[in-house]
Amino acid sequence: MEEIANYEHLMSLMLSRRSVRNFKNQRIEREKIAKILEAAATAPNGLGSSDVEVLILDGNDKVEEFTLDLVNLLKKNKWIFSPLMLKAYKPFMSRETYKSIESFASTAIDTFLKKYEEGQNWLTYSAPLAMYFHSSPYADPIDPYIPATYAMLAAQTLGLGSCMIGTPQFILNFFGKRTKKKYGIPLKNKNGLMIIFGYPSVKYSFAIKRTFSDIKFY
């Protein structure tokens, strides 16, 4: 019988993982990419059959090309999030949605573009590897996010750092029809999450222990 990791082993792995956004200029071996995908494929799914697809951007050049495509989409469509347009949308949105767009989306777009012009990639952080997990509309909405999480944990065991990036999904779904076609992402696939990977250029000395906002026993 194969040895099964116990609770202490699992917690040690989880507590050792930190979101990494600074990477060495080192390409990730194909063997490690294969292991990440093999681990991610073991993730459960909501409807009993996998409808999850993975776009792999292997190499900094591929990640940067994808990033530039997203930047160009933001430049072309940033007017949609101008104060005047947001005011026009306001009657058709919930208060929470409006506040979220007003306080985060418009500010984030300006920041991404400004930093990119300054030579800093705050979208994909110039990672040497990125995987975009996405699923068809027939899948459970949560299906892409579980294998993406498994992929991050697998990467940790291989000496790699990782970080989840939600912005690409937002950009692709709102403005990226042609970009989706370029990268072979079906237009109907709306749920997705990008994970970036690389060898960390920094080493963290402590873990982050998060808590839930509330826990109730009934």
Side-chain angles (χ1 to χ4, degrees), residues 12 17 27 32 37 48 52-54 65 75 82 84 86 88 97-98 100 110 134 138 143 185 202 216:
S12 177
R17 203 206 73 80
R27 194 155 186 166
K32 290 191 175 183
L37 291 170
V52 176
E53 302 178 39
V54 189
E65 179 182 352
K75 286 181 179 179
S82 66
L84 182 63
L86 286 177
T97 299
Y98 176 79
S100 176
D110 288 338
H134 56 97
Y138 299 102
D143 279 359
I185 302 171
V202 295
K216 289 187 175 70

Side-chain angles (χ1 to χ4, degrees):
M1 181 178 178
E2 293 184 6
E3 182 180 352
I4 298 176
N6 60 30
Y7 179 80
E8 286 72 25
H9 292 156
L10 180 60
M11 284 300 297
S12 177
L13 171 63
M14 290 180 169
L15 288 175
S16 69
R17 203 206 73 80
R18 291 280 300 268
S19 292
V20 175
R21 299 176 179 85
N22 297 286
F23 304 104
K24 294 179 181 178
N25 185 21
Q26 181 178 348
R27 194 155 186 166
I28 296 175
E29 300 86 345
R30 280 293 179 97
E31 293 80 6
K32 290 191 175 183
I33 296 175
K35 287 182 177 180
I36 291 171
L37 291 170
E38 183 180 25
T42 68
N45 52 72
L47 298 178
S49 59
S50 179
D51 246 343
V52 176
E53 302 178 39
V54 189
L55 168 67
I56 301 172
L57 302 170
D58 181 15
N60 184 262
D61 54 336
K62 299 295 184 182
V63 176
E64 290 296 341
E65 179 182 352
F66 181 82
T67 303
L68 182 58
D69 287 337
L70 296 186
V71 167
N72 288 334
L73 286 172
L74 290 178
K75 286 181 179 179
K76 183 178 179 181
N77 296 282
K78 63 177 292 187
W79 64 271
I80 295 175
F81 298 95
S82 66
L84 182 63
M85 292 303 296
L86 286 177
K87 191 173 182 180
Y89 303 149
K90 190 173 182 179
F92 307 100
M93 297 180 179
S94 67
R95 182 175 182 277
E96 293 79 10
T97 299
Y98 176 79
K99 285 295 182 182
S100 176
I101 294 177
E102 180 187 42
S103 62
F104 174 73
S106 57
T107 303
I109 289 171
D110 288 338
T111 301
F112 290 142
L113 294 178
K114 182 175 182 294
K115 290 296 181 181
Y116 196 81
E117 289 174 359
E118 295 173 352
Q120 299 180 59
N121 178 356
W122 278 25
L123 274 171
T124 56
Y125 298 94
S126 301
L129 174 68
M131 296 184 183
Y132 182 61
F133 294 82
H134 56 97
S135 63
S136 81
Y138 299 102
D140 190 293
I142 202 69
D143 279 359
Y145 309 118
I146 303 175
T149 303
Y150 276 38
M152 288 192 295
L153 292 174
Q156 185 71 13
T157 70
L158 298 170
L160 302 173
S162 64
C163 183
M164 63 172 60
I165 308 292
T167 308
Q169 174 191 354
F170 170 81
I171 299 173
L172 291 172
N173 285 341
F174 270 87
F175 322 117
K177 186 175 181 180
R178 290 184 179 179
T179 306
K180 276 189 168 184
K181 287 183 177 179
K182 174 181 176 179
Y183 292 98
I185 302 171
L187 299 181
K188 291 183 178 181
N189 287 17
K190 299 293 185 182
N191 296 309
L193 182 67
M194 175 162 281
I195 309 296
I196 56 174
F197 304 89
Y199 288 97
S201 61
V202 295
K203 185 176 181 180
Y204 294 103
S205 58
F206 61 91
I208 294 178
K209 291 187 177 182
R210 297 178 174 86
T211 60
F212 294 110
S213 61
D214 188 27
I215 298 175
K216 289 187 175 70
F217 284 89
Y218 180 76

